[in-house]
Amino acid sequence: MVPQLYANPFRLPKTPWKDEAAAEFLGGCGTGRLYCAIQPNGLVNPCVFTPIVVGDLRKQSLRDVWANSDVLRDLSDRDALKGRCGHCPYRNICGGCRARAYAYYGDYMAPDPGCIREREEPSASFSQKPRQMPLSGEKIELHV
């Protein structure tokens, strides 16, 4: 299944260099833009490392999940990223690790705490303490 955003090759980012367009299309974290994860029980996550359920294939089609999930829609918009990632010149090539941002801050759109650029100059709005890590067996967030 080709993500709706890129199903039409004429909707690729407009850049003068084909290599740059390919890097922006393929580069960095593909969570919610190029792929999602499907668990054996049919639950859909943005990626294997992000414990957010965005759909259930026992109740809806993958096409419906992909087209209607607010979380996947958010993740596909690199301009909506928060903190340093939101204004980084490499956001369309990198995008940061959304699972790491979620694990650290509890916000999948937050800056990637593992990024070297974030470590050099931390995002002011995200300089607060990270969230408390979940205990083993904690229920995952449902966004269905």
Side-chain angles (χ1 to χ4, degrees), residues 5-48:
L5 179 63
Y6 296 110
N8 181 346
F10 298 105
R11 291 182 65 189
L12 283 172
K14 302 279 189 247
T15 60
W17 304 283
K18 291 181 184 178
D19 291 342
E20 186 176 322
E24 287 186 12
F25 174 67
L26 298 172
C29 179
T31 298
R33 298 179 323 111
L34 299 173
Y35 58 77
C36 60
I38 301 172
Q39 297 179 34
N41 63 1
L43 297 180
V44 181
N45 304 93
C47 89
V48 297

Side-chain angles (χ1 to χ4, degrees), residues 125-137:
S125 60
F126 285 90
S127 60
Q128 76 258 14
K129 290 183 181 178
R131 75 181 189 138
Q132 184 118 25
M133 294 309 292
L135 300 173
S136 178

Side-chain angles (χ1 to χ4, degrees), residues 41-63:
N41 63 1
L43 297 180
V44 181
N45 304 93
C47 89
V48 297
F49 301 111
T50 309
I52 299 172
V53 175
V54 295
D56 185 345
L57 298 184
R58 296 169 296 186
K59 298 176 183 174
Q60 60 197 130
S61 72
L62 181 58
R63 182 180 302 272

